[in-house]
Amino acid sequence: MKLKEIIVVEGRDDTTAIKRAVDADTIETNGSAVSQKTLEKIRHAQEKRGVIILTDPDYPGQRIRQIVQEAVPGCKHAFIEKQDALRKKGRGLGVEHASPDIIRQALKDAHMMSEEPVELITKEDLVTAGLIGGPKAKVRREKLGAELKIGYVNGKQLYNRLMMFEITKEDFAEALMCILQEENNE
């Protein structure tokens, strides 16, 4: 699988994991203090070939994603679920621990964020669905993020992410139905 877009990752180990999975170029941010020089490289890459941001499913990864998105609008976003980014033995979480198949799937499912977010799903819809403020809310948000391929976010950020990725009411309802059916089968 050869990718035209350049993939933004956090570090050298992530680049190694990407190269095991696909034929692609990467730009490494080297941590969450993304330099202006790195942002310029990403901006240039976006203009020439396009960019996919693939960061770790943790707070620093989310922070890097946000910094890059604000500085370089129009990037695609790929997500790996936490359970797919865990180190097999011992501690550790990151893209470098994901299998080549998981990385390929995340890149294939990359989303473009909307520049002008449109509300298709209301905050009331999220409360009604038990995604905000309920006993199962966190688990449901984790499952929803996986189902819609938008990554996990807290209750506050879920609304924004659904708007940014222009998730339709239909896709939201379908994903929610799968989650509720899974709960009923437990």
Side-chain angles (χ1 to χ4, degrees), residues 73-137:
C75 297
K76 288 182 181 176
H77 292 262
F79 297 92
I80 292 178
E81 296 301 314
K82 250 183 190 166
Q83 70 268 14
D84 295 328
L86 290 171
R87 189 177 191 166
K88 300 301 174 232
K89 292 182 178 124
R91 297 168 52 120
L93 174 77
V95 170
E96 71 268 22
H97 303 301
S99 72
D101 287 341
I102 293 291
I103 291 170
R104 280 191 288 272
Q105 190 60 50
L107 293 170
K108 191 174 143 211
D109 293 335
H111 292 276
M112 180 75 92
M113 280 186 160
S114 171
E115 296 300 316
E116 293 293 322
V118 179
E119 182 182 72
L120 301 172
I121 297 150
T122 66
K123 288 182 180 176
E124 291 160 15
D125 293 335
L126 300 179
V127 172
T128 303
L131 294 162
I132 298 176
K136 297 179 180 177

Side-chain angles (χ1 to χ4, degrees), residues 13 17 34 38 49 53 56 70 83 85 90 98 105 140 145 165 168 176 181 186:
D13 292 338
V34 185
T38 300
R49 293 174 49 192
I53 303 169
D56 296 347
E70 286 174 12
Q83 70 268 14
Q105 190 60 50
R140 284 183 180 170
F165 289 119
T168 64
L176 189 60
Q181 282 177 342
E186 290 175 359

Side-chain angles (χ1 to χ4, degrees), residues 35-71:
S35 71
Q36 279 306 115
K37 186 177 176 184
T38 300
L39 289 173
E40 281 304 315
K41 280 171 62 176
I42 295 169
R43 194 173 289 114
H44 183 72
Q46 174 64 4
E47 289 169 8
K48 296 294 181 186
R49 293 174 49 192
V51 166
I52 299 174
I53 303 169
L54 179 61
T55 55
D56 296 347
D58 58 9
Y59 177 77
Q62 184 58 37
R63 186 170 181 277
I64 292 167
R65 185 181 294 280
Q66 194 170 347
I67 289 167
V68 173
Q69 177 61 31
E70 286 174 12

